[in-house]
Amino acid sequence: MAGRWKNDLTENAVTPERAFLDRRQVMAGLAGVGLAASLPGVARAEGLKPNSWEEVTTYNNYYEFGTGKDDPARYAEALTVAPWTVKIDGMVDRPADYALEDILAKMTIEERLYRFRCVEAWSMVIPWNGFELSDLLALAGVQSGAKYVAFETLYRPEEMRGQAYPVLEWPYVEGLRLDEAMHPLTIMATGIYGKDLPNQNGAPLRVVVPWKYGFKSIKSVVRITLTDKQPPTSWNKANRREYGFYSNVNPQVDHPRWSQASERPIGGGLFAKRIPTLAFNGYGEEVAGLYAGMDLSKQF
Ligand SMILES: Nc1nc2c(c(=O)[nH]1)N[C@H]1C(S)=C(S)[C@@H](COP(=O)(O)O)O[C@H]1N2
Ligand SMILES: [Mo]
């Protein structure tokens, strides 16, 4: 299943724009798959038009560099992203400080065209490059008692000017349930549009979970910890009434201060129409089963 996912989404990612990857490479990757057209992801991603490079890299949330949408593009350049180390620890067989280059040598980078929905009710479509988080976790060897994955962003106030301000508790932390982390849609992104991830988008390595609000997709990850307890998360610590641990995109559960029923696509211009927000950001067919039996209005 995981293998098919890679391939059908890879083709989708390229079809709308083509410019950023040689299509022949993709077709080579698809050789022998054949089943792509019958998979749910194909119909879902058809017709998705990616936002421009300009939009994806100039309208950002990255509070380590300021709270304005244009602050990250202006200030994240100051961040040193090489060398980069990711500590993987907790309930794993091989806890270690993993050099990013050693990780990348073992991973297959692929394209994923994903909808991206911020809790603030704007959205984009982003052509990511990256690898499945499950492949990284396999490197470290997840132990049987592990139930959650905790993530931590770099803390380096000398280079991250926003960390001088207590808008959030630093470092930024996030978490997923283990089955969410292992889901083939959950990736570690290393690029967009076939280029290295710009600093403002979370270089050199960030999480992307497309069916959850954007703040779950933590940037510039330096630590991944396997644990048996639900880990604290930055926005939940800041305001637990407004931001839950799960934070699945849900048009039926409004934010206490605004509706989540619709969203404003970035790039549509001044008079752009809002569009309806989809349950699980449109990925329900793939992920709704993870939440069977849960009351998602209570566990939001
Ligand atoms: N470390 C860190 N990760 C973060 C954030 C942040 O402020 N710090 N903002 C989050 C929010 S609210 C959103 S919407 C997305 C924005 O990702 P983008 O700027 O690449 O579109 O990053 C998420 N990851
Ligand atoms: Mo967000």
Side-chain angles (χ1 to χ4, degrees):
M1 187 60 199
R4 286 188 203 163
W5 263 114
K6 289 178 190 178
N7 291 321
D8 72 39
L9 290 173
T10 299
E11 183 181 36
N12 291 330
V14 172
T15 306
E17 283 224 338
R18 292 194 191 181
F20 57 98
L21 195 87
D22 183 341
R23 187 172 172 82
R24 283 167 304 170
Q25 257 177 280
V26 175
M27 295 317 289
L30 279 170
V33 174
L35 284 165
S38 65
L39 292 165
V42 171
R44 175 176 43 64
E46 232 164 60
L48 271 192
K49 188 178 175 297
N51 278 91
S52 68
W53 171 269
E54 178 77 7
E55 287 155 359
V56 176
T57 61
T58 60
Y59 189 92
N60 301 99
N61 274 333
Y62 198 167
Y63 279 19
E64 283 86 339
F65 297 101
T67 56
K69 294 286 181 280
D70 51 358
D71 283 336
R74 198 177 302 151
Y75 300 120
E77 238 181 316
L79 183 66
T80 308
V81 297
W84 194 267
T85 303
V86 183
K87 179 186 286 298
I88 309 183
D89 64 357
M91 304 174 78
V92 291
D93 294 331
R94 293 171 290 280
D97 291 332
Y98 290 84
L100 181 56
E101 60 202 34
D102 294 341
I103 293 174
L104 293 180
K106 298 196 174 85
M107 298 292 141
T108 309
I109 303 296
E110 35 176 311
E111 301 253 355
R112 298 286 179 100
L113 184 68
Y114 282 164
R115 262 190 279 276
F116 189 88
R117 170 59 157 82
C118 176
V119 75
E120 298 164 333
W122 53 264
S123 64
M124 294 201 204
V125 175
I126 304 182
W128 303 105
N129 310 95
F131 52 86
E132 292 183 12
L133 173 56
S134 66
D135 289 337
L136 178 58
L137 296 180
L139 263 192
V142 177
Q143 295 182 342
S144 61
K147 295 194 177 74
Y148 295 90
V149 187
F151 304 91
E152 203 174 294
T153 292
L154 179 69
Y155 178 70
R156 190 184 287 161
E158 318 87 82
E159 292 183 355
M160 301 174 118
R161 66 202 313 274
Q163 288 180 332
Y165 308 94
V167 282
L168 289 171
E169 240 178 77
W170 310 113
Y172 193 103
V173 290
E174 256 306 332
L176 295 169
R177 217 170 55 191
L178 183 60
D179 58 345
E180 299 176 321
M182 298 295 283
H183 194 282
L185 286 175
T186 303
I187 60 166
M188 297 302 293
T190 55
I192 50 171
Y193 272 108
K195 300 199 172 89
D196 283 350
L197 206 56
N199 284 5
Q200 58 267 38
N201 294 91
L205 186 68
R206 59 96 56 93
V207 173
V208 177
V209 198
W211 70 93
K212 293 177 178 284
Y213 291 122
F215 65 84
K216 298 295 292 182
S217 293
I218 181 174
K219 294 177 167 179
S220 306
V221 171
V222 291
R223 187 173 182 187
I224 300 176
T225 307
L226 279 289
T227 164
D228 57 0
K229 299 197 177 56
Q230 185 178 301
T233 58
S234 282
W235 280 100
N236 180 255
K237 283 196 287 183
N239 190 335
R240 70 193 162 84
R241 216 174 55 86
E242 297 190 353
Y243 308 103
F245 174 80
Y246 285 94
S247 293
N248 294 314
V249 174
N250 190 341
Q252 297 183 342
V253 175
D254 287 337
H255 187 280
R257 292 181 280 130
W258 58 84
S259 167
Q260 295 291 27
S262 68
E263 64 202 47
R264 177 174 61 92
I266 297 300
L270 199 52
F271 302 103
K273 282 222 177 59
R274 294 179 74 89
I275 57 172
T277 287
L278 302 171
F280 299 105
N281 204 23
Y283 300 96
E285 213 171 317
E286 291 82 10
V287 302
L290 298 176
Y291 309 101
M294 282 176 62
D295 180 347
L296 295 178
S297 63
K298 294 209 174 69
Q299 291 188 285
F300 60 90

